[in-house]
Amino acid sequence: WWLRYAYRPEYTGGGYYTQGQDPQVWVNEDQSLSTADATSIFEKDIAPNQKPEIPQIIGGDFNSGSHLDWTKRAAAFHAGYGPVAFPTSQLMREKNYTDSFRAIHSDEVLRPDGTFAVIYGHLQHGRIDYLYHKGPSLRPIASKIIRTPAEIDFVWPSDHAAVLTTYEIR
């Protein structure tokens, strides 16, 4: 997936890490962009083809923070903000999808890893890229954020870090 992202505040402007912001603005904008896109994809593409016995993995750039990361306990990593009820990650939970990284690393304080803008050195705790899974036959056994640049022409192909999850299929 690539879902639309909130422009207020712009991620690259550091607005999420500036004091005096109203997190409800972020939630509202995510609701009308990222969450609206995800809802539409579920309704048009996934629901008509979904079978409970078939395991599913949905991954990509959700362009939204996670309520599992932006907690009161982890507020120190987010300029004092938290909890923030980002709606797209909550939608995934409501649809019974599991965040593979948080399934393995459930403590958001011990593992505040980020995926966005890692090549620029900021938002190191901003996870907006995810691998979600659903189905009784899938079990994540390892998950990590890959921040090491690819060694192809010494150019990293994205401003995001990658999420790598290894699954056991039963």
Side-chain angles (χ1 to χ4, degrees), residues 64-68 86-94 130 132:
S64 175
S66 173
H67 72 283
L68 299 173
F86 285 104
T88 306
S89 63
Q90 291 183 333
L91 174 69
M92 296 304 289
R93 181 190 63 206
E94 290 164 14
Y130 308 93
Y132 284 97

Side-chain angles (χ1 to χ4, degrees), residues 8-44:
R8 291 173 302 223
E10 169 67 53
Y11 282 110
T12 57
Y16 285 95
Y17 294 90
T18 304
Q19 295 297 319
Q21 298 289 320
D22 180 359
Q24 191 58 47
V25 171
W26 312 339
V27 169
N28 293 345
E29 196 154 270
D30 269 11
Q31 187 70 44
S32 67
L33 297 168
S34 174
T35 310
D37 289 352
T39 300
S40 175
I41 292 168
F42 274 118
E43 290 171 0
K44 293 178 183 175

Side-chain angles (χ1 to χ4, degrees), residues 87-150:
T88 306
S89 63
Q90 291 183 333
L91 174 69
M92 296 304 289
R93 181 190 63 206
E94 290 164 14
K95 299 283 186 185
N96 295 315
Y97 285 84
T98 300
D99 175 340
S100 67
F101 183 80
R102 280 288 164 242
I104 298 296
H105 308 288
S106 60
D107 191 321
E108 72 280 16
V109 174
L110 291 177
R111 291 298 300 268
D113 305 41
T115 61
F116 183 71
V118 295
I119 64 170
Y120 303 118
H122 69 292
L123 294 172
Q124 297 299 302
H125 307 296
R127 249 181 3 119
I128 63 172
D129 305 274
Y130 308 93
L131 289 173
Y132 284 97
H133 65 274
K134 180 178 185 175
S137 63
L138 281 178
R139 185 175 71 94
I141 57 173
S143 188
K144 65 181 179 177
I145 307 298
I146 300 174
R147 294 177 178 220
T148 307

